[in-house]
Structure formats: C-alpha cells, structure tokens
Amino acid sequence: MPRHTTPRRTRSRSRTVAAGFLLPALLLLGALVVYPIGYSVQRSFFDRSGTSFVGLDNYLALVTDDSLRTAVRNNVIWLVFAPAVATALGLVFAVLTERVRWGTAFKLVVFMPMAISMLAAGIIFRLVYEQDPDRGVANAVWVGVHDTFAESSGFPRARPLPAHPLKAAGGGAFVTEEPVRAGEPVRLPLIGVAPGQMPEEARPARQPAPVPDTISGTAWLDFTRGGGGRQNAVDPTELGLAGLRIEAVRDGKVVARATAAADGSFTLPADRADGAVLRLPASNFREQYNGVEWLGPSLVTPAVIGSYVWMWAGFAMVLIGAGLAAVPRELLEAARVDGANEWQVFRRITVPLLAPVLAVVLVTLMINVLKVFDLVFVIAPGSAQDDANVLALQLYRSSFGTDADLGIGSAIAVLLLLLVVPVMVLNIRRLRREARR
C-alpha cells in the first residue's frame, strides 16, 4: 500500500524549508542588528578605555552633564513639536489641494524636498538662515518687512570731526555749535560713511551760497577719495548726504524741518528758523536693522525644526492625501446637506475618519526625529551647536574624535533605542488592530 505523509511530517518539512529560507536573513539580522545592540549595552557599563566596569555611571552622566542634558531637552522639544507641526501642515495641504485645480502641481512642489538628502537640505537652510540680509533669504524677507513699517537709518556711524561746526547733543544726535542766521550759508559736514553705502541718488555736493531771507546750507560727506581735500570745505568729488533729516530747534522745540536734496542742499524758512540751532536727529545715525539671529543660541533649535518640517510636510501630505481619497464622499455630502459648514465637516468627519492615517504619519515622524542628526550637524554653526545639540549628534561627538568616550556614546545609543522601542511597539500594536478589522 502506498505510504501517506502524515500532517505532522508535512508541517515539520514546511518549517524546515521556511527556516532554510529565513536563515540567511536571520544571520544578517544577528550580525548587523542583534550583535551591535548587545555589544552597545555591554559597552555602556564600562569606562572610556573599556577595561573598568563603572555600572550606571555613564547613564548618570546623561542627567548630570550640561551638554547631555541639553541634548535630552532638545530631543523632547523635537519630539513634541516637529512631528505635530509636519503632520498638521500635511493635513492642511492634503485637504486644500483637493479643492484647487492646480492641486497636483502644488503637491509636487511640496513633496519635492523629500527628493533631496538631509545633507543638501542642511546646506540650503544654512544659507537661508545667514545673518547678512544680502545673503540669507529669511533675514532678507524679515528686514524688508521691518523696513516697510519702520523708518530706516540712512547714515549709520556717521559723525562730525572735532574741527566741524557740529557737536554731540546726546542720544546720538548732533547740533550746530552756533545758532543759524538768514542769509548766512550753513555747512553740515560729516565723515564715517563708506562711499559704497552712500545713497544711490547722491550727487556731488553743492557749494553753500547765501540766500537772502532764507536759512540755506549743504550737508555733505567731508571725505575725498585718495586723500587730500580741505576740512569744512566742499571739494569737487565729495558727495551730498541725500536724504539727511535736519531740524531747527528753538527752546527745546522743533520749529522747522528739512531733508537734504541729492546734492546735500537744504532750505528752511527764516521766519521760523532764524536764530535757532540746527539738529541732525539720531534717526539719521541708527545702526541699520539686520534681522533676526536665526542661528543664535535662542532660535537655533526652532530654526532647524523649521527646515525639518519643510522636508517632511510633503511626506505627511502624500500619506494623508491617500487616506483622504478613501474617505466616503457621501458622508461629507450628507453632512453639508444637513447644514454643516466646511469647518464642522473637517473637524467632525474628515479628521476622525483620517485618525488611523494621522497616527501612522505621527508615529513615523516621531521615530524619525529621535534619530535626527544631519540637519543639526550641518545647519547649527559651531558657536551654537551646543545649544542645538540632540542625542544623535551627541552620540557622534562622544564616539568619534580624539576625545571619544565610547562608554558615554554606548549609553546614548542605548537611551535612543529605549526611546524608540515604545513608539515602535505602539505602532506594531496599532497595525495589528487594523489588520484584525
């Protein structure tokens, strides 16, 4: 009689075949994942040299060392804000792009940053956050908006020489040493303005000449390129201080105002300014507004988080958009028919239906930000890198270089693993619940 294979033998053979196929992957997993994790855990209990057992001292250093405490604090900030902001923006973009004709093009533009590496994004944003408004886009925009609503200074650091007929009046202003008289030309020479910073409309200064029954004069840059020239005298190549603001002051009150023309000339009515002193207000000499120090100690972490959101908002938008495409349209239309406005439809129907997708995006980004390194390393300058420090960057700094401490580095690696594992377990459980439905 033919022999029949028993079910037990069949199952055993299937398991053997499965184990044979899995063995190469298990060996790679053990060599590349399990062994490094085990070695890191073991190494974290030893000192810098790896010869002396120190117990939990390396872990205690994580809460006692200032740089390590800063790294832990910044990781918490990243974990709280970066995934939430990127997910929220992705949700907004996904919902809004469904309602515009050019939504596909917009999605392409928003998702495009995902096509570049973290290193390239870091280089881009290092330039974006440059302090100099002529180089940094962020400060160029910020300074432009500021100067739209706030009067800017035309001649920062300009000042008179001791031989000039001007003296300091306090608060950064200057006044004439003697009252002015009608018919007597007034000279207002200044120095300290680089030729390249002179207003574009500036022209060669006009020689001051008396004008009957008028207070007239010239304000100019008393400096001749290449040397030479005479003090308190207008030389042919010297430029007028176009736009300089001039005030006539009597008894502490401003009685007349004027603005220097392109050649530096100005006039004031004699009936009000005769016998007054002329004042150059401090607003002429304020330091120009140079924007925000984005990469300074106080703003470097939010600035780097902003670059991360720029990259990953497109990722969130694409996943949420895919989930949004599966939302039953009849539910949305039924809510609108029942009188719900768009905000109510979004808050009470769209968001609850997208909750599983939002959870996937949020958890994925949380795992991602716990390991962020490239952006912080590239964007934060050396002077602010301690303030922008995160655990992955501290792991690199502790594990490599001439002052490496592999005990501390291994402890940081184990801490990162312990932080990532709960999030991964939560994600796996959620995926299993979804699979049972």
Side-chain angles (χ1 to χ4, degrees):
M1 291 182 63
R3 233 179 200 177
H4 295 285
T5 304
T6 62
R8 182 178 297 177
R9 184 177 298 176
T10 302
R11 286 196 299 270
S12 176
R13 184 179 298 172
S14 299
R15 289 171 182 168
T16 303
V17 173
F21 279 106
L22 288 174
L23 184 59
L26 292 175
L27 290 175
L28 285 175
L29 186 66
L32 300 179
V33 178
V34 178
Y35 172 74
I37 291 175
Y39 180 77
S40 296
V41 173
Q42 177 193 358
R43 187 66 179 80
S44 67
F45 295 112
F46 287 82
D47 65 354
R48 180 191 300 266
S49 63
T51 57
S52 300
F53 182 80
V54 295
L56 297 176
D57 287 355
N58 290 327
Y59 293 95
L60 293 176
L62 300 181
V63 293
T64 57
D65 184 83
D66 288 340
S67 61
L68 294 174
R69 279 208 310 267
T70 301
V72 173
R73 186 192 68 226
N74 285 341
N75 259 103
V76 172
I77 294 173
W78 273 87
L79 192 62
V80 171
F81 290 101
V85 174
T87 303
L89 281 177
L91 175 62
V92 172
F93 291 156
V95 172
L96 292 182
T97 50
E98 280 206 333
R99 299 179 171 274
V100 294
R101 186 177 302 173
W102 38 270
T104 302
F106 180 81
K107 287 181 179 179
L108 178 64
V109 171
V110 174
F111 188 74
M112 196 176 295
M114 287 295 299
I116 64 176
S117 67
M118 287 277 201
L119 176 63
I123 294 172
I124 291 170
F125 274 86
R126 181 66 181 268
L127 296 174
V128 167
Y129 290 136
E130 276 281 352
Q131 179 69 39
D132 185 357
D134 293 331
R135 298 178 61 190
V137 175
N139 265 342
V141 174
W142 193 270
V143 170
V145 173
H146 174 274
D147 290 348
T148 301
F149 299 99
E151 194 174 36
S152 61
S153 167
F155 308 98
R157 302 183 183 179
R159 63 193 185 281
L161 287 170
H164 287 160
L166 291 166
K167 63 181 181 181
F174 300 100
V175 297
T176 55
E177 293 182 343
E178 301 293 337
V180 295
R181 298 296 178 184
E184 298 179 3
V186 182
R187 288 177 169 83
L188 301 178
L190 293 172
I191 63 166
V193 183
Q197 294 179 342
M198 288 290 288
E200 292 182 1
E201 65 270 21
R203 297 292 178 268
R206 192 186 73 176
Q207 290 286 350
V211 179
D213 302 324
T214 303
I215 305 295
S216 63
T218 300
W220 80 100
L221 180 63
D222 194 11
F223 172 80
T224 302
R225 286 190 180 187
R230 299 162 296 160
Q231 288 187 359
N232 294 331
V234 177
D235 295 303
T237 60
E238 294 176 346
L239 298 176
L241 296 173
L244 185 75
R245 291 177 287 276
I246 303 157
E247 298 173 344
V249 180
R250 181 185 288 113
D251 299 328
K253 296 181 179 180
V254 178
V255 295
R257 290 185 173 88
T259 301
D263 59 2
S265 61
F266 64 91
T267 59
L268 292 163
D271 57 343
R272 286 184 286 173
D274 190 28
V277 295
L278 298 190
R279 179 173 68 187
L280 306 180
S283 59
N284 288 307
F285 313 112
R286 280 196 310 262
E287 287 289 343
Q288 290 187 346
Y289 181 70
N290 284 323
V292 178
E293 192 179 3
W294 298 103
L295 300 182
S298 58
L299 288 178
V300 63
T301 294
V304 180
I305 290 176
S307 66
Y308 177 89
V309 170
W310 175 77
M311 284 195 69
W312 288 88
F315 167 82
M317 177 194 66
V318 170
L319 290 189
I320 295 171
L324 192 61
V327 172
R329 300 298 162 181
E330 56 269 17
L331 294 179
L332 305 180
E333 295 302 327
R336 294 188 181 101
V337 170
D338 288 341
N341 57 37
E342 292 302 321
W343 169 246
Q344 290 172 327
V345 171
F346 174 76
R347 185 166 60 92
R348 297 184 179 277
I349 297 178
T350 304
V351 172
L353 290 175
L354 288 175
V357 179
L358 295 176
V360 170
V361 174
L362 194 62
V363 171
T364 303
L365 294 181
M366 288 173 68
I367 295 172
N368 187 267
V369 300
L370 285 172
K371 303 178 294 180
V372 68
F373 164 78
D374 319 57
L375 289 177
V376 181
F377 184 73
V378 176
I379 295 177
S383 58
Q385 204 163 82
D386 286 340
D387 300 286
N389 200 12
V390 290
L391 286 173
L393 177 59
Q394 186 59 40
L395 170 62
Y396 170 79
R397 295 167 69 177
S398 298
S399 303
F400 300 96
T402 57
D403 195 33
D405 187 338
L406 293 181
I408 294 290
S410 299
I412 297 173
V414 174
L415 176 61
L416 278 173
L417 176 65
L418 294 177
L419 291 175
V420 170
V421 165
V423 182
M424 293 180 63
V425 170
L426 179 66
N427 201 28
I428 291 171
R429 288 183 176 178
R430 189 198 56 75
L431 290 173
R432 287 179 176 174
R433 284 197 303 267
E434 291 292 327
R436 294 194 199 104
R437 293 179 182 176

